[in-house]
Amino acid sequence: IELIEPIGEKSVWAEGLQGDQDGFHHIAFWVDDMREANDFLEAHDISLAQRGDIGEGQYAYYDGKESLGTLLELLEQTRHEL
């Protein structure tokens, strides 16, 4: 379980606090190849919502709310550009 407090800027975390949203904000998965995972999700109409770097790796949030009922977070330990 990860507790997140959005501060100031527009983000997927701040959007999760708006309205009457109940349930999970996101589910996270470690991936070996972010580019391959990105291509798979976009081929299934799940689009990139936000991404960022974390040390040598990166994270990316995908908007699966409509098809899956939640956002997906992908984490990659060694960054490969999208």
Side-chain angles (χ1 to χ4, degrees):
I1 295 176
E2 179 180 27
L3 301 176
I4 300 171
E5 180 181 6
I7 300 174
E9 297 181 26
K10 183 178 178 182
S11 67
V12 295
W13 307 293
E15 290 170 8
L17 294 175
Q18 297 172 352
D20 295 330
Q21 182 178 351
D22 289 330
F24 293 105
H25 179 267
H26 71 275
I27 299 173
F29 297 95
W30 284 101
V31 297
D32 293 325
D33 188 333
M34 185 73 80
R35 187 177 315 124
E36 181 180 340
N38 176 77
D39 293 347
F40 176 84
L41 291 172
E42 289 194 345
H44 289 85
D45 295 323
I46 300 174
S47 60
L48 178 66
Q50 178 178 315
R51 74 154 299 282
D53 298 330
I54 46 173
E56 298 291 319
Q58 67 179 319
Y59 71 89
Y61 282 94
Y62 290 84
D63 189 355
K65 291 181 283 186
E66 193 170 308
S67 58
L68 303 171
T70 190
L71 293 172
L72 297 177
E73 178 185 19
L74 301 184
L75 300 150
E76 182 181 54
Q77 213 164 19
T78 303
R79 183 172 37 257
H80 298 93
E81 296 302 320
L82 283 177

